[in-house]
């Protein structure tokens, strides 16, 4: 019974929609963290234009790059790390909750099976007692039907 409960729990863990979504959020959090860690240079800009000064025309171009001297995107990295950890913890909690639900249902089914096994002799004796009465009632109903036709 314990092995079958474990198999059912494994199947539930593989197919429960809320757990699949939670695992996807954890994967997305890992990807977001990797993106934030890779963003050392967050702002890169380029410009191109024409300039006319004292009747002379020229082409002007430029590149701007923000160099992070003091803040190396730590705030966003910390946020992404916290979100990723929260998603992983949620997935772990859901896994335990689902496994607990399956185990509780198996225990309830086991208790019910024990109760049915204990009551089965009583039900069978009652059924054997009522069988002749039921047959007599059916026969009487058939006789009434036959005489009415």
């Amino acid at each position: 019974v314990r092995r079958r409960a474990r198999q059912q729990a494994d199947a539930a863990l593989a197919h429960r929609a809320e757990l699949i979504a939670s695992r996807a959020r954890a994967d997305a959090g890992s990807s977001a963290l990797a993106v934030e860690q890779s963003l050392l240079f967050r702002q890169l800009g380029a410009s191109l234009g024409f300039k006319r000064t004292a009747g002379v025309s020229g082409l002007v171009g430029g590149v701007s790059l923000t160099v992070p001297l003091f803040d190396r995107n730590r705030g966003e990295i910390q946020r992404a790390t916290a979100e990723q950890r929260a998603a992983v913890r949620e997935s772990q909690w859901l896994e335990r909750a689902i496994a607990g639900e399956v185990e509780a249902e198996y225990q309830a089914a086991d208790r019910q099976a024990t109760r049915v096994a204990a009551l089965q002799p009583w039900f069978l004796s009652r059924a054997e007692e009522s069988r002749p009465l039921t047959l007599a009632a059916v026969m009487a109903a058939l006789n009434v039907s036959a005489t009415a036709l």
Side-chain angles (χ1 to χ4, degrees):
V1 173
R2 185 66 85 179
R3 187 182 62 180
R4 289 185 63 206
R6 186 72 235 156
Q7 289 172 342
Q8 290 296 321
D10 290 342
L13 290 173
H15 299 301
R16 291 283 288 265
E18 65 269 21
L19 184 58
I20 292 169
S22 178
R23 287 176 178 162
R25 281 191 297 274
D27 290 342
S30 296
S31 297
L33 178 59
V35 167
E36 291 299 336
Q37 288 172 339
S38 70
L39 291 177
L40 180 62
F41 298 107
R42 294 181 61 88
Q43 297 175 350
L44 176 64
S47 59
L48 185 66
F50 288 103
K51 179 179 177 184
R52 180 174 287 241
T53 306
V56 177
S57 297
L59 181 64
V60 177
V63 176
S64 65
L65 175 67
T66 303
V67 179
L69 296 177
F70 300 107
D71 181 16
R72 297 190 178 269
N73 200 23
R74 282 181 288 192
E76 291 298 315
I77 290 173
Q78 288 174 348
R79 179 198 55 78
T81 301
E83 288 178 358
Q84 191 265 342
R85 284 182 183 167
V88 168
R89 296 292 187 269
E90 179 187 9
S91 294
Q92 291 170 343
W93 178 81
L94 279 170
E95 287 173 3
R96 284 199 234 37
I98 291 169
E101 287 175 13
V102 171
E103 180 66 28
E105 292 300 324
Y106 259 84
Q107 288 177 2
D110 189 42
R111 285 192 304 270
Q112 292 299 328
T114 303
R115 290 179 70 190
V116 166
L119 293 174
Q120 190 173 9
W122 181 76
F123 281 122
L124 289 177
S125 67
R126 295 285 296 194
E128 288 173 1
E129 289 174 11
S130 64
R131 183 171 185 252
L133 296 173
T134 305
L135 285 175
V138 168
M139 294 303 280
L142 287 175
N143 286 335
V144 170
S145 300
T147 56
L149 294 174

